[in-house]
């Protein structure tokens, strides 16, 4: 079977969709070697040089590549990718994120990680964003199969998109192979020095800062702990500006009098995360809504206890 895969996010490894696609690229040919996998990449993609030899790949341009990334993405999803899948005679077109084409060159499979733009009002955006959400909801209803990351995600898709449950398949995510108890005894000390971690015991948060992540409530709860309790280490690129959608944790920590015990260490390299988890007393993850919540199992796989919300 020849399977065409939309590779739009392959260069965007800092995003969840990019990490998901990168893992698929690494593992799909190993688990399904009888099939032929062909990536359709955007024109500017640098990923082709690093693809496993088991993959074929094609770069494809859009008329908007130099004009608007949003328009280029929409054209790629709705015109470029299905045209390329049709030209190669694909048996299946696979879109590993919520952005399937309206017109099908062949049976289409789409992954929907979550329904955040539909379920959380703060994430609905303006008129254009809402129109895009309506478009991809329509394309998902027309797909031959929908993949999602959890049974909770499946329930949301069935309930809110009206897709029959037999066409929606929960395929659980897994932590990468690097997320294991640290074997190198020197790694924790290197990571402690690299990120300027406190000598005192600490709780750890790794993740985004948008409102649903509940970082504000996490700090409010942390401020109620005794002053001689553990410190709090927050990893991740901080918001460019403090806003209701992406609150900066530092001003709140200062107002609550815990700034000296809250350490924002910035972006954390993927290779350093297992050692960081190993150093923490526990990992805190209080997100309001997740399609899956991959950091939870990454922390547990690395040996860190997790404090999370139901």
């Amino acid at each position: 079977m020849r399977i065409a895969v939309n590779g739009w996010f392959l260069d965007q490894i800092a995003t969840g969709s990019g990490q998901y696609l990168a893992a698929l690229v690494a593992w799909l040919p190993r688990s399904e070697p009888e099939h032929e996998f062909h990536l359709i990449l955007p024109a500017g993609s640098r990923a082709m040089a690093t693809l496993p030899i088991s993959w074929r790949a094609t770069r494809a341009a859009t008329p908007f590549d130099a004009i608007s990334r949003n328009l280029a993405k929409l054209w790629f999803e709705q015109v470029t990718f299905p045209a390329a899948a049709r030209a190669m005679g694909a048996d299946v077109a696979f879109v590993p994120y919520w952005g399937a084409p309206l017109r099908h060159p062949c049976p289409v499979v789409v992954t929907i990680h979550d329904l955040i733009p539909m379920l959380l009002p703060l994430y609905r955006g303006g008129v254009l964003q809402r129109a895009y959400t309506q478009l991809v909801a329509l394309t998902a209803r027309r797909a031959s199969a929908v993949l999602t990351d959890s049974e909770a995600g499946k329930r949301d898709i069935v309930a809110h998109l009206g897709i029959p449950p037999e066409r929606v398949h929960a395929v659980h995510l897994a932590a990468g192979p690097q997320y294991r108890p640290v074997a190198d005894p020197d790694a924790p000390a290197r990571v402690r020095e690299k990120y300027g971690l406190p000598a005192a015991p600490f709780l750890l948060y790794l993740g985004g800062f948008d409102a649903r992540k509940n970082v504000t409530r996490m700090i409010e709860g942390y401020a109620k702990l005794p002053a001689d309790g553990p410190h709090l280490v927050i990893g991740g690129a901080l918001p460019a500006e403090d806003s209701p959608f992406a609150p900066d944790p530092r001003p709140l920590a200062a107002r609550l009098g815990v700034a000296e015990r809250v350490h924002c260490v910035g972006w954390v390299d993927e290779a350093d995360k297992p050692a960081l988890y190993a150093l923490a007393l526990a990992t805190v993850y209080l997100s309001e809504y997740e399609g899956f919540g991959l950091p939870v199992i990454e922390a547990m796989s690395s040996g860190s206890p997790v404090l999370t919300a139901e």
Side-chain angles (χ1 to χ4, degrees):
M1 182 182 294
R2 181 173 297 168
I3 302 171
V5 180
N6 179 320
W8 179 267
F9 277 99
L10 192 55
D11 280 326
Q12 302 175 51
I13 198 63
T15 67
S17 294
Q19 292 178 1
Y20 178 78
L21 178 55
L24 289 174
V25 167
W27 290 99
L28 269 179
R30 303 186 200 182
S31 60
E32 303 292 337
E34 69 274 20
H35 300 308
E36 177 186 317
F37 296 96
H38 197 127
L39 269 168
I40 312 301
L41 298 166
S45 175
R46 300 179 300 277
M48 189 178 292
T50 59
L51 285 176
I53 60 172
S54 50
W55 281 84
R56 301 181 182 185
T58 301
R59 291 192 186 99
T62 83
F64 302 101
D65 288 340
I67 301 171
S68 166
R69 182 161 181 82
N70 286 338
L71 286 175
K73 178 175 179 288
L74 180 62
W75 189 276
F76 186 88
E77 292 166 357
Q78 299 302 321
V79 180
T80 305
F81 172 67
R86 183 180 298 109
M88 72 175 60
D91 299 294
V92 173
F94 176 37
V95 182
Y97 66 97
W98 197 10
L102 190 59
R103 294 186 176 182
H104 293 183
C106 56
V108 170
V109 177
V110 61
T111 296
I112 302 177
H113 297 291
D114 56 62
L115 296 185
I116 288 171
M118 292 185 72
L119 300 183
L120 302 183
L122 192 60
Y123 291 77
R124 289 175 185 163
V127 173
L128 293 178
Q129 177 62 42
R130 293 196 297 272
Y132 179 79
T133 299
Q134 291 302 313
L135 171 64
V136 295
L138 176 60
T139 64
R141 293 184 185 105
R142 299 184 59 187
S144 299
V146 174
L147 307 182
T148 191
D149 303 331
S150 65
E151 293 295 337
K154 177 175 179 175
R155 289 193 297 271
D156 285 345
I157 290 166
V158 171
H160 296 282
L161 295 183
I163 299 174
E166 61 269 18
R167 283 171 44 208
V168 184
H169 309 273
V171 181
H172 299 158
L173 302 182
Q178 72 273 32
Y179 291 102
R180 298 291 183 270
V182 177
D184 180 359
D186 298 324
R190 288 198 303 269
V191 167
R192 187 183 292 276
E193 181 179 2
K194 179 177 178 178
Y195 294 98
L197 301 176
F202 63 86
L203 303 172
L204 173 67
Y205 170 75
L206 288 180
F209 295 91
D210 52 301
R212 69 184 171 90
K213 298 294 186 177
N214 268 339
V215 175
T216 295
R217 289 187 180 180
M218 177 183 70
I219 294 174
E220 290 172 345
Y222 173 75
K224 297 177 181 179
L225 295 178
D228 60 353
H231 287 219
L232 175 62
V233 169
I234 298 176
L238 290 165
E241 60 182 31
D242 192 14
S243 70
F245 182 79
D248 187 326
R250 295 171 295 182
L252 176 60
R255 288 197 300 272
L256 295 175
V258 293
E260 292 185 357
R261 294 187 285 128
V262 175
H263 308 265
C264 296
V265 299
W267 180 258
V268 175
D269 292 333
E270 202 74 19
D272 295 331
K273 289 181 180 178
L276 191 54
Y277 285 130
L279 285 166
L281 281 177
T283 298
V284 184
Y285 200 78
L286 305 179
S287 184
E288 177 185 354
Y289 178 94
E290 294 285 347
F292 188 84
L294 195 55
V296 172
I297 61 168
E298 290 176 346
M300 290 191 294
S301 296
S302 301
S304 175
V306 173
L307 305 176
T308 190
E310 185 176 350

